Amino acid sequence: MTKYISTPSRTKEILEKYGIHAKKGFGQNFLVDPIIVEKCAQAAHCEGAVIEIGPGIGSLTEQLARYSKKVVAYEIDETLPPILADTLSDYDNVEIILQDFLQADVSKKVKELKEQYGQVTVCANLPYYITSPVLFKIFDIGNDIPYITVMMQKEVGNRFVAKPNDSEYGALSVEGQYLYDVKKLFTVPGRSFNPSPKVDSVIIQFARKENCALDVNLSAFFAFVRACFKQRRKTIYNNVKEYLKDAEKTKKALDATGIDPGVRAQELTVEELKKLFEATL
């Protein structure tokens, strides 16, 4: 069998053969570290079906195809599917969908895959510029996706795993941790990519919480959380008051939850923010 796509020499060969250059507009960086790519696939719980976003030339796709029954990869760059048909010709369990993931009816696809393969997970090297929108789209799908394993810019990854009082703790931390147990698997240095970005990446895994309370309106709760962190230097009282446009209601909600009006949002746990949100309803 030919060398894995993720080896530097094989990647170089493919790029030269097709005259490919990484497109900044699509946030393309090609992974050239076979050890990292294989570790990522092995950690992804992808025994059933797995969804990938932005397969590029197929570095991660290839490894996912080795470990899973079915790989469905969404690609926005119309020049890549014919190339992927070549680079992944050894695998008959890969489906490439030429579509913007953010515009796709992913819920419908997930239900189909779950029916056929039992479990559906997500594993991807996410383009930096769409990391959060992609993740929130997946979060909205709910319990049908128990694991999300994604590579992202280190700075964004640190926000997802941050705890109260960490400088990186914010709305992203709360929203992710409300629904998932979030952990950092490992760091991926910039040199693992072609071209090499100036920043390092991390692989973050989200494991859906089985006991997660879905008795709240998630979109309303997340809007509230973002409002709490809108002005990070402001107290929780001031941010909530601005959100509710009602000083008396804000004071009552804080009194009911026993939260000091003078604290800032980054000092509050996910559970405390949920209780405060419920007290404002």
Side-chain angles (χ1 to χ4, degrees):
M1 190 173 172
T2 54
K3 289 180 291 187
Y4 289 140
I5 296 165
S6 52
T7 59
S9 58
R10 178 78 175 119
T11 294
K12 185 170 181 283
E13 181 186 307
I14 293 166
L15 297 182
E16 287 177 354
K17 178 179 178 180
Y18 290 100
I20 300 169
H21 301 283
K23 295 176 182 173
K24 284 188 178 178
F26 290 146
Q28 288 175 344
N29 293 91
F30 303 112
L31 267 167
V32 287
D33 188 328
I35 294 171
I36 290 282
V37 177
E38 186 167 15
K39 278 174 70 178
C40 186
Q42 286 173 336
H45 298 274
C46 64
E47 302 81 16
V50 60
I51 291 174
E52 185 187 10
I53 301 101
I57 60 171
S59 302
L60 178 58
T61 324
E62 178 180 43
Q63 295 301 322
L64 292 172
R66 291 179 61 222
Y67 290 99
S68 65
K69 291 174 186 165
K70 179 74 174 181
V71 183
V72 175
Y74 287 85
E75 178 53 62
I76 196 172
D77 185 347
E78 61 186 18
T79 66
L80 290 177
I83 296 165
L84 287 161
D86 176 24
T87 61
L88 299 169
S89 59
D90 288 330
Y91 304 92
D92 61 3
N93 59 339
V94 177
E95 177 185 352
I96 306 297
I97 298 177
L98 179 60
Q99 189 176 14
D100 181 349
F101 179 81
L102 293 173
Q103 302 300 319
D105 186 349
V106 182
S107 293
K108 182 183 176 186
K109 190 67 177 177
V110 167
K111 281 181 170 41
E112 290 170 6
L113 291 170
K114 190 174 180 183
E115 200 171 296
Q116 194 169 355
Y117 299 100
Q119 178 171 283
V120 186
T121 58
V122 170
C123 184
N125 169 23
L126 292 178
Y128 291 165
Y129 74 107
I130 58 164
T131 297
S132 296
V134 164
L135 283 170
F136 287 125
K137 182 173 177 116
I138 300 166
F139 290 174
D140 284 344
I141 293 169
N143 293 324
D144 283 343
I145 299 181
Y147 294 99
I148 307 165
T149 307
V150 284
M151 195 177 303
M152 63 181 76
Q153 192 172 331
K154 189 176 181 180
E155 180 189 343
V156 179
N158 286 344
R159 285 186 214 157
F160 276 113
V161 298
K163 299 299 180 190
N165 292 309
D166 289 348
S167 59
E168 297 96 342
Y169 184 70
L172 277 185
S173 321
V174 174
E175 291 171 46
Q177 291 169 34
Y178 179 70
L179 296 169
Y180 299 87
D181 289 315
V182 188
K183 64 179 178 180
K184 181 161 67 174
L185 298 185
F186 40 92
T187 301
V188 184
R191 65 176 179 275
S192 296
F193 297 90
N194 175 7
S196 297
K198 292 176 182 175
V199 295
D200 289 343
S201 298
V202 289
I203 294 176
I204 302 289
Q205 186 164 79
F206 300 81
R208 189 83 177 189
K209 290 179 176 176
E210 288 184 16
N211 61 348
C212 173
L214 293 175
D215 54 345
V216 297
N217 179 323
L218 277 183
S219 59
F221 175 45
F222 288 173
F224 173 79
V225 168
R226 286 168 206 164
C228 289
F229 285 93
K230 188 177 179 183
Q231 298 287 337
R232 291 181 70 87
R233 290 181 177 275
K234 282 190 174 183
T235 63
I236 192 69
Y237 170 78
N238 283 326
N239 274 330
V240 174
K241 183 181 73 170
E242 186 179 325
Y243 174 74
L244 294 176
K245 304 286 190 283
D246 187 327
E248 188 58 33
K249 192 175 180 182
T250 301
K251 186 175 181 304
K252 281 182 179 175
L254 288 164
D255 285 347
T257 52
I259 293 172
D260 181 348
V263 303
R264 293 183 173 86
Q266 57 262 44
E267 298 173 65
L268 300 176
T269 65
V270 175
E271 194 53 41
E272 285 173 326
L273 285 162
K274 178 177 178 268
K275 284 177 181 172
L276 182 57
F277 167 70
E278 290 172 331
T280 66
L281 299 177

